[in-house]
Amino acid sequence: LSLTVLRAVPPESQRNVIRYVVRELGFPAPPARQLRNIVDELIPARDDAQPLVTWNAVEVRRYRDNVYVLPALSTPAEAQAAGMEDGVLRLAPGMGELQLRPGSAQGLAPAIVARGLELRYRQGGEEIKLPDQSHTKKLKKLLQDAAIVPWMRDRLPLLYAGDELVAVADLWLAADAVSTPGTAIVWKNRPPIH
């Protein structure tokens, strides 16, 4: 939802919009207290704040000029994969799955995939050298530049070959791991990240 649009209408209209969106998404209606917190605290919060209102496995968050109504996400510590089957890595509930698609125009080198990939999550300090770049970049900076919503930054699945970060979800591949053709990474049913 556009924060600018929400701020332009009176509080009663804001409540109606939130109720409508929640209902359309198939989520349980927000209790009066949570609805009040959305209108009185989340919408008018400072631009640099990261407000959060929750109820019954529903989250309402804000980032930049948008308000997000989402299913509650697992914490990064809970975000463990169920294992790889037939080129599919099922992630934690609400996080979708990563699919490995060999024979794509570009992707991970088949030899890297054949040796095995390990799923990890951000710990801080990760770096990756992207194709056509002369130096490595901090993952933190890439995520900020790509406007990835803050609550998803620690939940993005990172694929490692040994100790080398070779893929950040389906967003970036490491230069030394790319091949043409290769194995593409596709993140299906992912939650909003922008």
Side-chain angles (χ1 to χ4, degrees), residues 78-85 88-93 96-97 119 121:
E78 297 168 337
Q80 297 302 315
M84 178 78 69
E85 284 183 30
V88 176
L89 183 62
R90 287 171 192 24
L91 303 172
E97 63 188 29
L119 174 69
Y121 293 90

Side-chain angles (χ1 to χ4, degrees), residues 3-4 9 13 22 24 35 44 47 51 70 81 91 102 105-107 117 125 133 137 168 177 179 184 191:
L3 186 59
T4 302
V9 299
S13 295
V22 166
E24 286 297 304
L35 190 57
D47 288 342
L70 310 159
L91 303 172
Q106 185 178 42
L117 300 171
Q133 297 285 319
K137 291 195 172 202
V168 178
S179 136

Side-chain angles (χ1 to χ4, degrees), residues 39-181:
V39 172
D40 295 343
E41 297 173 17
L42 186 138
I43 291 173
R46 296 181 335 268
D47 288 342
D48 63 343
Q50 293 185 30
L52 168 66
V53 176
T54 64
W55 72 94
N56 294 355
V58 178
E59 295 181 350
V60 179
R61 295 178 177 265
R62 203 187 86 199
Y63 179 61
R64 295 191 176 174
D65 188 44
N66 292 302
V67 173
Y68 296 81
V69 180
L70 310 159
L73 299 171
S74 59
T75 65
E78 297 168 337
Q80 297 302 315
M84 178 78 69
E85 284 183 30
D86 299 322
V88 176
L89 183 62
R90 287 171 192 24
L91 303 172
M95 294 299 294
E97 63 188 29
L98 291 183
Q99 296 180 354
L100 301 180
R101 296 191 180 160
S104 298
Q106 185 178 42
L108 290 175
I112 289 174
V113 175
R115 285 194 303 267
L117 300 171
E118 181 184 347
L119 174 69
R120 298 184 197 168
Y121 293 90
R122 272 186 72 208
Q123 301 296 308
E126 294 87 357
E127 295 183 346
I128 189 169
K129 182 179 177 191
L130 302 176
D132 303 323
Q133 297 285 319
S134 59
H135 58 286
T136 61
K137 291 195 172 202
K138 295 276 187 192
L139 181 56
K140 178 180 179 178
K141 179 77 169 128
L142 286 172
L143 297 172
Q144 290 170 344
D145 291 348
I148 304 298
V149 292
W151 57 89
M152 285 299 297
R153 293 177 188 172
D154 291 341
R155 292 176 172 94
L156 291 177
L158 307 179
L159 294 179
Y160 280 78
D163 289 331
E164 294 298 316
L165 174 60
V166 294
V168 178
D170 58 355
L171 302 173
W172 300 290
L173 299 175
D176 294 342
V178 172
S179 136
T180 307

